[in-house]
Amino acid sequence: MISKVDSMTGRCTNSLLAHLAACALLLFSPCSQASIVSEINPPPTTAIEIAQHQINIASGLSQNGQSERAAIEFDRAIQSPAFAQLSEVYQHFAWFEAGNVALDMKKMELAQDLLKRASQSSQAGSQDWHNRLYASFALHDYIDSADCITTIARRWPETLDQINSPAIYAINRELPDEPGQTTILFDFLESLFDANWTARGAQPNGFWVDLTRLLLERDQLDKAIRAAKRIDSPLMVLALRVDKRFDPVTRGRLAEFDLDQVAIASVAQAEKAVTAQPDLLRPILVLHARLMKSRQYARALEVCDGVIARVANGKGADLYKDFDKEYIWILNSRSEALQGLGRMDDAVAALRTAIDLPQGDSENVNQALNLGNLLASLNRPQEALEAVAKLGEMSAFGRMQLEKLQHLVAIENADAVEAKKHLDYMREHRTDALSTFQDALLDAGLLDEATRFVIERLQKESSRTDALLSVQDYAPVVRAPRIAMRHARLQEILARPAILAEVDKVGRIEHVNLDSQ
């Protein structure tokens, strides 16, 4: 199930938003600076005066919306031999404004080059780095995007809220996390931690799990403990408990990382946030997610039904500032609660309502995927395909969810050729969604390959925590028939000596009173 608030867990879980965030936009629009030049009188005669004059003309053209002409004049000035003789104030202004013009013209490579120069100037401010981030993110240059966020977090942390949190999650996902290649990721995470960054008030718990690990690798135990104590998600606390890499943090402190107490505290904290922000749906979604993880399905349903009843008069946008963006996720969350209660037909109906909700963008592709996967798991293959028949563009992670659905439908239809086609795609692209590929292997009954894959994930540093979370002994929950079959097959391979031996090398298995889904 794709969930709106799963992004709080970061890279070490299969969060929906974190994976779909490759399509996320930055909140801000690139900004310009006020002109620093005035008309030269008398007319310019020296090369320096001419370059200054060209910058002045270009700035005026830009302010009047004549981007193409402005770009030509900026280029003439910057390429002129006299440009190197201008004051740094003039040079910075020209690079910055020309970069913004390039952004306006969607010439992202040029914009990035110009804004890199501007941001390296001693005259640079936060907007130089924000606009550079805008260009780098658009180019999928996640290394430079991370550098931008690291710099912003260290120098202007108060401006981090200008950046959409899904974009920060997307950047985090793409950073190297292999032995000997973690410097960029470490700087990125540590800068956000030191800046006390949150994703719209919610702790990015997966970030702090990764930061705790990286701090331990650098022998910074005291700060690792501080990072670990900022985690308020029961699932991420479980990650600390079951991965032996975190033993230096949890050893002798297990009472501080008690799952039941963390779960209770996380719900209480979410309830306070709902009370403190009555005009937002986002805190309600956070509360719902925490109730679901604690298996309080009836309360989770009440939370959603309360919102639905309150907006029944058609004035939802007047009651909640984020209604247009988040209400569809209230309907999605209602379906999750109904599934937890075993009311599968009602859960299907709730998702159909969500899909029918008018959206200004393509975000309800998530609900279509959720509906299709739910129908497939209920052995309703034709309806599942109909649910996703009109999907548009999606992220690599979203494509993996679609392939998993189509693979399961092919299995239900006994179409071996079609099933192989979709499984081959997922095998080739498994790094886009490791847990999704593991589910598909279990759906196909390929238990030997699934066993090897689980072991591979346990052995790899970057996927180990997620793999360990997937093998824990979670509380029993109601599952759709195909998901129940997948779970039974998972339990079968987890009893194999090869997996048990690998788990024992790197972690441990605990019985926990949490929902695994």
Side-chain angles (χ1 to χ4, degrees), residues 330-368:
I330 292 291
L331 301 176
N332 191 101
S333 297
R334 184 172 189 270
S335 176
E336 293 177 354
L338 289 165
Q339 290 176 59
L341 293 168
R343 294 168 55 182
M344 299 300 176
D345 288 341
D346 290 337
V348 168
L351 280 173
R352 291 195 190 280
T353 301
I355 290 173
D356 291 339
L357 191 70
Q359 285 291 104
D361 53 33
S362 61
E363 190 169 11
N364 61 357
V365 67
N366 301 333
Q367 283 68 42

Side-chain angles (χ1 to χ4, degrees), residues 64 68 74 87 98 100 110 117 157 208 247 420 436 498 506:
N64 289 328
E68 291 188 8
F74 274 127
S87 70
N100 291 335
L110 175 60
R117 292 192 238 177
W208 308 152
D247 284 357
K420 182 179 183 303
T436 302
V506 299

Side-chain angles (χ1 to χ4, degrees), residues 206-257:
F207 283 22
W208 308 152
V209 171
D210 286 335
L211 179 59
T212 300
R213 168 174 57 83
L214 295 173
L215 286 164
L216 288 172
E217 290 176 1
R218 288 159 174 77
D219 296 321
Q220 298 184 44
L221 177 58
D222 289 344
K223 191 168 187 177
I225 293 171
R226 295 204 306 275
K229 287 185 175 180
R230 197 174 289 185
I231 297 167
D232 62 8
S233 157
L235 189 65
M236 294 296 96
V237 169
L238 177 61
L240 300 180
R241 292 173 62 101
V242 301
D243 188 331
K244 288 182 178 179
R245 290 175 295 181
F246 299 110
D247 284 357
V249 168
T250 59
R251 188 182 297 119
R253 302 182 185 88
L254 283 180
E256 300 177 48
F257 298 100

Side-chain angles (χ1 to χ4, degrees), residues 35-49:
S35 177
I36 63 166
V37 291
S38 57
E39 192 66 39
I40 297 175
N41 190 19
T45 55
T46 69
I48 290 178
E49 288 177 344

Side-chain angles (χ1 to χ4, degrees), residues 4-5 7-8 15-27 137 142 149 160-174 188 197-200 204 207 282 325-326 329 363:
K4 178 69 171 182
V5 295
S7 59
M8 292 166 211
S15 73
L16 170 73
L17 195 53
H19 294 296
L20 294 187
C23 302
L25 298 177
L26 303 178
L27 282 177
F137 189 79
Y142 298 112
I149 288 179
L160 281 170
D161 61 1
Q162 296 178 27
I163 307 169
N164 201 347
S165 55
I168 294 180
Y169 281 107
I171 293 164
N172 173 72
R173 253 193 99 242
E174 299 296 332
F188 174 81
W197 180 75
T198 62
R200 290 190 287 175
F207 283 22
R282 176 70 181 184
K325 183 176 182 180
E326 306 288 15
W329 290 100
E363 190 169 11

Side-chain angles (χ1 to χ4, degrees), residues 146-165:
D147 185 29
C148 291
I149 288 179
T150 298
T151 301
I152 291 166
R154 288 174 174 168
R155 297 174 62 183
W156 306 281
E158 70 280 358
T159 71
L160 281 170
D161 61 1
Q162 296 178 27
I163 307 169
N164 201 347
S165 55

